[in-house]
Amino acid sequence: MRNRTVPQPSMSFEYIMWMFTRISGLALLFLGAVSLVIALAMGARQLLDMPTLARWTFFPNPNHVVNSKIPDVTQGWANAYWQIMQIVIAFFGISHGFNGLRVIIEDYIGNTIWQPMLRGLLFLVWLFFLIMAVFVILAS
Amino acid sequence: MEVKVKILRFNPEADKRPHYQTFCVDAEPTDRVLDLLEKIKGYQDGSLAFRRSCAHGICGSDAMRINGMNRLACKTLVKDLGRGTIVVEPLLGLPLIKDLIVDMDPFFEHYESVMPYLVNDEPPPLKERLQSPEERARFDDTTKCILCAACTTACPSFWSNGRYVGPAAIVNAHRFIFDSRDRAAAERLRILSNQFGVYRCHTIFNCTLACPREIQITKAIGEVKKAIATGSLE
């Protein structure tokens, strides 16, 4: 059987977002695993209880571990690396969720004026959430 | 045995909205739902409207909702529907014309939009465009489609947004996209990668359950998504 290939269609918005959904979902799992492994390497088994470790895993914010047995969170638990991790996790998480809402709008709102209006509103709320998330992460 | 058949009736000249009407029919367990409808139309109410043609599961004319599931009336036996009343309703998602007849135009417009025919501008060989058994097997499953619309009208994405091309159109695009003799796969993939193409499919699997030809429809849609992502038609 001959190998058959065709030039890929030029990237449509739907295709990009379809890929993004999959990539961001996997990225969130990967980033969670990274946070968990590093926390365990920093002694989380002795320093954190299970709920605190779970909160840290999916959002490695120092406020989540400040009331644990960690003597000083500024030593390894609160630095620029974790801030970048939080921003990346917040970006993937918020965008993944809001893209899901966009798909629901496109599925259930027909070809009416409501669809572009709701999509526009959703874009603004997504942007607001991202800006707020970055602000909270950098300020904490 | 006597069977109760509850049919959703609608006469556009007399009714404001559809209503149910129940008929009692003398039937054998091996009778098909189409036989019951024929008996009702022939002996009880000649105004009952439904489509039928070959009556052997090939023409795809008599797809309807039977006990809540899209099925072909000519392939559904009374004995397989349990002892209760048999409820027969028109397909969902397409405009209702009369009784069990829906307007199939939107369905066929979507079907035509994916170019469901062989496209090959290369000069034809002396005899025929040859294809190996393996190349033919690649798209064998999707050649079985009879365009009954049972899949498309079972799809919640299609119910909520009629601009979605629907599973049947994608199945028929798949049949030619993966045909080694065809040369328009790129164009079909472009059509299906738009806002109302394959990405409106959320792998609900209603289409696969509804298909009277047992085509693996969700799998076929997944293969088209993969072809769009990779450009590979293997």
Side-chain angles (χ1 to χ4, degrees):
Chain A
M1 199 155 61
R2 286 177 297 135
N3 284 341
R4 290 181 70 230
T5 54
V6 288
Q8 283 177 263
S10 56
M11 286 200 185
S12 66
F13 180 69
E14 290 296 327
Y15 170 72
I16 292 167
M17 295 317 292
W18 182 76
M19 287 298 282
F20 176 78
T21 308
R22 277 134 191 87
I23 290 166
S24 57
L26 289 171
L28 284 168
L29 288 174
F30 174 74
L31 292 168
V34 169
S35 305
L36 177 68
V37 168
I38 295 179
L40 289 171
M42 291 196 299
R45 279 189 70 183
Q46 283 77 39
L47 300 173
L48 305 181
D49 57 20
M50 194 58 197
T52 311
L53 179 60
R55 282 200 297 278
W56 172 269
T57 297
F58 292 106
F59 200 59
N61 187 291
N63 285 327
H64 285 165
V65 294
V66 76
N67 291 325
S68 64
K69 292 179 192 163
I70 297 170
D72 180 7
V73 290
T74 58
Q75 300 297 311
W77 298 84
N79 53 37
Y81 168 74
W82 290 119
Q83 283 187 325
I84 292 167
M85 279 287 279
Q86 289 172 67
I87 291 170
V88 174
I89 288 172
F91 171 76
F92 279 131
I94 293 169
S95 305
H96 187 98
F98 272 81
N99 182 52
L101 290 174
R102 179 191 66 82
V103 171
I104 290 170
I105 287 173
E106 294 192 1
D107 278 346
Y108 290 100
I109 308 293
N111 190 28
T112 65
I113 186 70
W114 284 103
Q115 197 189 87
M117 279 171 63
L118 284 173
R119 281 181 66 165
L121 180 68
L122 199 69
F123 174 77
L124 292 176
V125 178
W126 168 75
L127 208 60
F128 174 75
F129 267 62
L130 272 189
I131 292 167
M132 284 301 291
V134 173
F135 175 75
V136 168
I137 290 163
L138 295 181
S140 63
Chain B
M1 62 189 266
E2 190 172 78
V3 179
K4 278 187 179 170
V5 186
K6 187 177 167 186
I7 302 175
L8 191 64
R9 304 289 308 267
F10 176 66
N11 179 357
E13 292 171 355
D15 301 330
K16 281 188 177 168
R17 56 177 68 100
H19 61 278
Y20 287 99
Q21 186 176 358
T22 303
F23 297 90
C24 291
V25 187
D26 194 32
E28 295 295 323
T30 49
D31 276 348
R32 305 160 304 170
V33 172
L34 182 64
D35 297 323
L36 304 186
L37 296 175
E38 297 277 23
K39 280 180 187 171
I40 293 167
K41 188 173 176 66
Y43 299 105
Q44 296 190 38
D45 186 345
S47 70
L48 178 67
F50 57 91
R51 284 197 184 98
R52 55 95 76 202
S53 185
C54 77
H56 287 77
I58 293 300
C59 72
S61 302
D62 61 353
M64 54 190 75
R65 261 185 308 154
I66 300 169
N67 284 359
M69 282 194 68
N70 283 3
R71 310 172 203 244
L72 294 182
C74 61
K75 283 184 78 173
T76 308
L77 300 183
V78 170
K79 66 177 181 176
D80 295 334
L81 294 172
R83 289 174 177 271
T85 303
I86 297 171
V87 182
V88 183
E89 297 158 305
L91 295 172
L92 286 172
L94 293 171
L96 184 57
I97 295 175
K98 187 182 179 189
D99 292 340
L100 302 173
I101 297 179
V102 293
D103 181 3
M104 297 285 281
D105 281 357
F107 172 79
F108 283 111
E109 279 166 21
H110 290 313
Y111 168 67
E112 285 163 15
S113 74
V114 299
M115 306 160 67
Y117 38 80
L118 191 90
V119 179
N120 191 334
D121 294 335
E122 294 164 12
L126 218 53
K127 281 189 177 173
E128 60 186 305
R129 297 184 196 278
L130 289 174
Q131 188 171 52
S132 70
E134 292 79 19
E135 286 171 333
R136 173 62 178 76
R138 178 64 189 85
F139 59 94
D140 189 62
D141 197 35
T142 46
T143 61
K144 297 189 294 188
C145 179
I146 55 173
L147 296 172
C148 66
C151 59
T152 295
T153 56
C155 173
S157 294
F158 182 77
W159 294 338
S160 59
N161 193 336
R163 295 174 75 189
Y164 168 41
V165 292
I170 302 172
V171 159
N172 284 280
H174 178 286
R175 182 254 172 271
F176 289 100
I177 288 168
F178 292 94
D179 187 333
S180 59
R181 299 162 297 181
D182 187 83
R183 296 292 176 268
E187 176 63 8
R188 291 192 194 89
L189 293 179
R190 187 190 64 73
I191 293 165
L192 290 174
S193 68
N194 79 10
Q195 192 184 359
F196 301 106
V198 287
Y199 300 116
R200 295 264 73 79
C201 167
H202 305 311
T203 55
I204 297 162
F205 280 88
N206 272 15
C207 52
T208 306
L209 284 174
C211 180
R213 304 284 292 168
E214 295 175 359
I215 300 171
Q216 299 297 305
I217 300 176
T218 314
K219 183 183 173 202
I221 297 173
E223 288 175 354
V224 173
K225 285 178 180 169
K226 193 174 163 193
I228 291 171
T230 62
S232 170
L233 301 181
E234 291 311 304

